[in-house]
Amino acid sequence: MVTLETPRLILRRWREEDIAPMTAVNADPNVMRWIRDGSVRDEQQTRDGIRAWENEWESHGFGLFAVEIRSTGELAGFTGLSVPAFLPEVLPAVEAGWRLGRSHWGQGLATEAATAALRFGFEERGLERIVSIIQKGNHASERITTKLGMHPVRDTVNPTSGRHITIFELTSHQHSATTR
C-alpha cells in the first residue's frame, strides 16, 4: 500500500472515515466550480468516486490519494494520478489532479501534494508524461501547474461539460531536469 509523506501532508489510500469530510469538500459550490460542469456531489456520488479511485489503484498501480494534514489528521481533499478517460483526444495519458477543501486553500498544500504525486508517477511508476486538465479561468490551478513546471500544450473543450480547457504537460525528462 503506497503512502507518501511531505513536510505537512500524508498522501494515502482511502478509508471509510474519509467519506464524510470528502463529501463536505464535494458539496461546496466554490470548490466544485471548476470541476466538470460545476455540479456539487452528494454522499453517494462521493462514495462512488472513492470506489472508482480505489479501482484505478488496483488496475493501474496509481490513483488519487487522500490528502491528510500531518499535524491534525484532518482530511484536506485529494491529489494524485488518474487516466482522463473523459477526454479521449489526450489518451493515452495520465492526469495529475487535486481538490482541496476551501479551508486549505492559499497555503501551498495543493502544490506540495501534487509535487509528491508527480515524483511518484515519474520515479516510482516510470511514467513518461503527465498532463493536467484545467478549465479556462481557473487561475489558482493554472498557478499550481506553473509551480509544478508544467506548460500549456493545447486548448480544447471538455466533451462532458462543453467548457473550455487547457491541457498542461510535464515530461519525465523535464521533471528530471528540474529536480536534480
Side-chain angles (χ1 to χ4, degrees):
M1 185 124 18
V2 177
T3 300
L4 306 178
E5 295 191 16
T6 72
R8 298 181 291 171
L9 305 170
I10 298 170
L11 282 61
R12 58 168 173 76
R13 299 282 293 272
W14 294 87
R15 303 177 187 148
E16 180 68 25
E17 60 266 23
D18 296 328
I19 292 179
M22 194 65 216
T23 298
V25 170
N26 286 340
D28 184 335
N30 288 312
V31 171
M32 299 303 288
R33 175 180 177 195
W34 302 110
I35 310 300
R36 305 279 169 101
D37 68 355
S39 297
V40 297
R41 298 190 181 135
D42 63 20
E43 182 180 329
Q44 188 57 53
Q45 290 167 313
T46 299
R47 283 181 182 278
D48 293 345
I50 290 172
R51 188 175 310 110
W53 303 335
E54 282 295 301
N55 288 340
E56 199 157 33
W57 275 103
E58 301 308 318
S59 60
H60 297 296
F62 57 77
L64 296 176
F65 291 98
V67 175
E68 179 181 311
I69 305 295
R70 285 178 72 131
S71 62
T72 64
E74 178 186 2
L75 181 81
F78 74 68
T79 192
L81 306 170
S82 63
V83 174
F86 71 93
L87 192 60
E89 70 185 79
V90 301
L91 297 176
V94 175
E95 177 187 11
W98 48 85
R99 183 181 311 153
L100 299 182
R102 234 184 326 162
S103 64
H104 301 289
W105 291 1
Q107 302 169 46
L109 297 175
T111 302
E112 184 175 325
T115 298
L118 287 174
R119 186 177 318 109
F120 170 74
F122 288 126
E123 297 175 13
E124 302 296 323
R125 293 301 183 252
L127 299 174
E128 291 296 319
R129 170 180 161 262
I130 298 175
V131 300
S132 261
I133 302 166
I134 309 296
Q135 284 194 17
K136 292 284 191 179
N138 185 348
H139 303 299
S141 283
E142 288 174 359
R143 282 191 299 277
I144 292 167
T145 61
T146 300
K147 291 176 188 175
L148 296 172
M150 302 182 106
H151 58 278
V153 293
R154 180 186 332 176
D155 289 332
T156 190
V157 174
N158 181 335
T160 66
S161 69
R163 290 183 168 188
H164 292 271
I165 54 179
T166 299
I167 312 303
F168 291 80
E169 177 182 271
L170 184 66
T171 66
S172 61
H173 176 73
Q174 292 164 334
H175 178 262
S176 294
T178 61
T179 57
R180 285 185 189 150

